[in-house]
Amino acid sequence: MSPDVWMILAFAGLLIAGVPVAFSLALSGAVGIVLGLSPDMLATMGTNTYNSIAKYPLIAIPLFILTGLIFERSGVALRLVRFAQALIGPRHGGLALVAVLVCMIMGGMSGSGPADAAAVAMVMLPSMTKAGYPKPFSATLIAASASTAILIPPSVALILYSIVVPGVDLRALFAAGLFPGILAGLALLVPAMLVSKRYGWEGGTPIEGAERLSVRSTFKQAIPALFAPVLILGGLRSGLFTPTEAAVVAVAYGVIVGLFLTRELSLRDLWELLGEAAIISGVVMLIIALAGIFAWAGTMLGTFRHLAEWIISLTDNGVLLLILVMLAVLVAGMLLDAISIYLIMMPILIPVMQHFEWNPVWFGILLAMNIAIGQFTPPVAVNLMVTTEVAKIRLEQTIGWALLFVVAMGCALALVAIFPAIALWLPRVLGYNVD
């Protein structure tokens, strides 16, 4: 067998053996270097790991992770829930609607699905359970809704995509993700409302505490949370700051909200959140750094070129091949996190994308929607793991509901694939480069 085949088999074997993704990438890359190049070339591993993370836009990732943690601890999710409850009132599926809307708004602050899922689940699950919603349904709905964070700007995954794919404007990606993210949320809401009405959940039952809250008072409390996405996106659109600088602004705004407005964040809490964000960011950066070894080895051996040529040779029909690629990414999303998928698959998919002249911004959004579906699809389902832990239920109890929402978001994905303007209209109107 050729060295590049050994490298791929080594990577697959290490993953199956339970070795973390970061170390699987590094070790399989080392196998490729030793067998296909020269053991002396192992000296390049340090340089490759450094070059992988020595990129200015990557600064935004730990900052947006910190932003999500700060807003979670500041009581922002609770205020958004109260406002939405007071606005919608008791009705069939009312709390389901609240859960979806709050997840989408929170996604516009953190850019992280698991953080979004944790914050909303802790607030929403008790109320939904008292209103008659089964815990498996509630946990799955929140996990699926939180996955829209990967689409609605700012998105950590889209930041990485803009780095991996040369020449893609991150501002265009952020703008392109907005409408597909909203569409995905609406696609989840339709079956949730229909199922709620079918089983009579929350049928006119007063929501706990909602009778004591007016729309006006809850809106005033929710203003700081509602203003956060406006600040981030408005600053990007006006050119006041770059996407990386937007992350700094988001952190500063979150600190102000937590310390002085909601007053639920202390300096001691902030210190703890800095440590928590550092740990999470360290894991992400370690994956990116060690993936550099795999990427360099795959490039030098021609592995990615060979795989891309094989994929292109499967069919001359671009539509059929796009469907095959989307299915492959969906399966990968069920097993791996978004960061790993981009780092592993994009070196292979970039030549395919260029061969069929797919729009890179549109293609990036399709990939993000696929990965979003994977975040609440077992067996891995990172978002679902978070919400089931909060709900104290087993993951397998949610499989039926997860399949329902997979189909719903799959319909939204199909619409974006058939009508690229859903993703590309807004960035074109805003004057960003989408070609």
Side-chain angles (χ1 to χ4, degrees), residues 1-254:
M1 288 188 294
S2 62
D4 48 4
V5 173
W6 276 113
M7 185 177 74
I8 294 173
L9 290 177
F11 175 66
L14 290 166
L15 281 182
I16 294 171
V19 178
V21 174
F23 297 106
S24 297
L25 289 167
L27 292 173
S28 58
V31 168
I33 291 172
V34 171
L35 296 180
L37 299 174
S38 166
D40 294 339
M41 299 303 290
L42 290 174
T44 64
M45 293 175 64
T47 304
N48 288 324
T49 54
Y50 172 77
N51 291 337
S52 299
I53 57 174
K55 296 178 175 66
Y56 175 71
L58 284 178
I59 298 173
I61 292 180
L63 290 172
F64 277 125
I65 290 172
L66 178 59
T67 300
L69 294 173
I70 290 173
F71 275 113
E72 177 187 344
R73 187 70 64 89
S74 299
V76 167
L78 177 61
R79 284 163 173 77
L80 287 172
V81 168
R82 286 176 176 172
F83 171 59
Q85 287 178 340
L87 188 65
I88 295 169
R91 64 184 65 192
H92 289 298
L95 283 177
L97 174 58
V98 170
V100 175
L101 291 178
V102 173
C103 281
M104 292 171 67
I105 297 173
M106 289 292 293
M109 303 177 197
S110 67
S112 169
D116 193 357
V120 178
M122 286 188 289
V123 177
M124 289 297 306
L125 276 171
S127 297
M128 294 183 76
T129 302
K130 290 178 182 178
Y133 293 86
K135 283 186 177 181
F137 170 85
S138 303
T140 310
L141 176 63
I142 293 172
S145 303
S147 70
T148 59
I150 203 173
L151 292 164
I152 297 175
S155 164
V156 171
L158 293 181
I159 293 172
L160 185 60
Y161 179 85
S162 71
I163 295 171
V164 175
V165 181
V168 175
D169 187 346
L170 179 56
R171 297 172 302 168
L173 278 173
F174 277 179
L178 184 59
F179 286 157
I182 294 173
L183 179 63
L186 294 176
L188 296 172
L189 186 59
V190 170
M193 298 288 284
L194 292 176
V195 170
S196 299
K197 189 172 183 179
R198 166 68 176 81
Y199 291 104
W201 299 331
E202 195 193 343
T205 304
I207 303 170
E208 183 183 2
E211 67 278 0
R212 301 190 300 272
L213 298 173
S214 68
V215 174
R216 178 177 296 181
S217 63
T218 54
F219 174 70
K220 288 180 180 178
Q221 295 177 6
I223 284 177
L226 296 172
F227 183 69
V230 176
L231 174 66
I232 296 170
L233 299 180
L236 289 174
R237 174 66 190 98
S238 64
L240 189 61
F241 38 71
T242 66
T244 305
E245 292 166 348
V248 180
V249 172
V251 170
Y253 179 72

Side-chain angles (χ1 to χ4, degrees), residues 294-328:
F294 184 84
W296 185 82
T299 301
M300 297 300 293
L301 294 172
T303 307
F304 303 138
R305 185 182 73 254
H306 298 154
L307 287 172
E309 290 171 351
W310 174 74
I311 292 173
I312 293 170
S313 69
L314 291 175
T315 176
D316 292 330
N317 189 325
V319 175
L320 178 59
L321 193 59
L322 179 64
I323 294 173
L324 294 176
V325 169
M326 291 297 104
L327 290 174

Side-chain angles (χ1 to χ4, degrees), residues 415-434:
L415 286 174
V416 177
I418 296 170
F419 305 104
I422 296 175
L424 300 180
W425 178 81
L426 183 60
R428 281 173 174 159
V429 168
L430 296 178
Y432 299 138
N433 180 25
V434 296

